[in-house]
Amino acid sequence: MLRRGAAQPPGFEEFVAARGPRLLRVAWLLTGDAQLAEDLLQTVLAKVWPKWEQIADGSPEAYVRTAMVHTNISWWRRHWWGEVPHGELPDTAAPADAFAQVDLEQSLAAAIRRLPPRQRAVVVLRYFEDLSVQDTAATLGCATGTVKSQSAKALRTLRGLLPEAELVEGGESGGRERG
């Protein structure tokens, strides 16, 4: 745990200042909640801080991102979510509506929160962080085939939840490299 007055490892504060907003966005996409996202990022940064000198020379952002995915999945497994009541999705606004994009983004965020944690992690890493199949597999510690199957399942679920949205077509390929 971080203590006041404790000496910061060289480069840690600069890393957090530079990459913090992007990492917070990833945390929010993983958790679907602003406060949980802040807690997730803070928890992971507190875990990374003592090891900073060991990971700073490698790829610290990838390390932190991986730690966030694993921590979020661990939190999710410990918490029973039960049934989540929901109504019909609202009708979409006309394309000329200035708020249509915001409505779509909110609907997409809500739909992503309904995915199981592993599928949510794959969607966030592949389509929001724009990682390759191989990089996503490395971050999650699984096979590339698992990334592809989880991605296909997640996109199928999202298409069912958001039929009006233009999601990546053709399953996993969708304009990205196969692998």
Side-chain angles (χ1 to χ4, degrees):
M1 182 162 165
L2 296 176
R3 290 178 286 153
R4 262 181 212 260
Q8 293 286 332
F12 182 77
E13 192 171 332
E14 293 81 8
F15 169 79
V16 173
R19 305 311 296 162
R22 183 178 179 115
L23 291 169
L24 183 59
R25 183 186 78 162
V26 172
W28 182 81
L29 288 166
L30 289 170
T31 63
D33 179 88
Q35 286 77 29
L36 276 177
E38 290 174 0
D39 289 347
L40 176 62
L41 181 56
Q42 182 63 32
T43 299
V44 169
L45 290 175
K47 288 179 183 177
V48 166
W49 180 74
K51 304 174 189 176
W52 183 251
E53 291 177 358
Q54 298 159 346
I55 65 168
D57 292 337
S59 181
E61 186 173 357
Y63 187 93
V64 170
R65 202 172 33 235
T66 300
M68 282 195 306
V69 168
H70 291 294
T71 301
N72 183 57
I73 289 172
S74 173
W75 286 359
W76 191 87
R77 285 181 179 154
R78 290 181 188 161
H79 182 7
W80 180 74
W81 291 95
E83 294 182 19
V84 179
H86 60 87
E88 295 291 320
L89 288 175
D91 293 334
T92 58
D97 184 352
F99 299 103
Q101 183 65 28
V102 173
D103 290 342
L104 177 60
E105 289 173 3
Q106 288 178 345
S107 296
L108 180 59
I112 289 172
R113 284 192 298 272
R114 293 181 61 192
L115 294 173
R118 194 76 158 177
Q119 289 179 18
R120 186 181 322 149
V122 168
V123 167
V124 169
L125 295 174
R126 287 284 290 133
Y127 301 106
F128 288 93
E129 283 296 294
D130 203 28
L131 295 182
S132 68
V133 172
Q134 293 82 5
D135 290 342
T136 302
T139 299
L140 296 175
C142 65
T144 57
T146 302
V147 171
K148 292 177 185 180
S149 67
Q150 291 294 304
S151 178
K153 289 175 186 176
L155 291 176
R156 185 171 39 252
T157 300
L158 291 174
R159 283 188 189 101
L161 295 171
L162 300 166
E164 75 280 1
E166 291 183 21
L167 299 175
V168 176
E169 292 297 325
E172 185 55 36
S173 59
R176 301 187 190 281
E177 77 282 355
R178 292 178 187 249

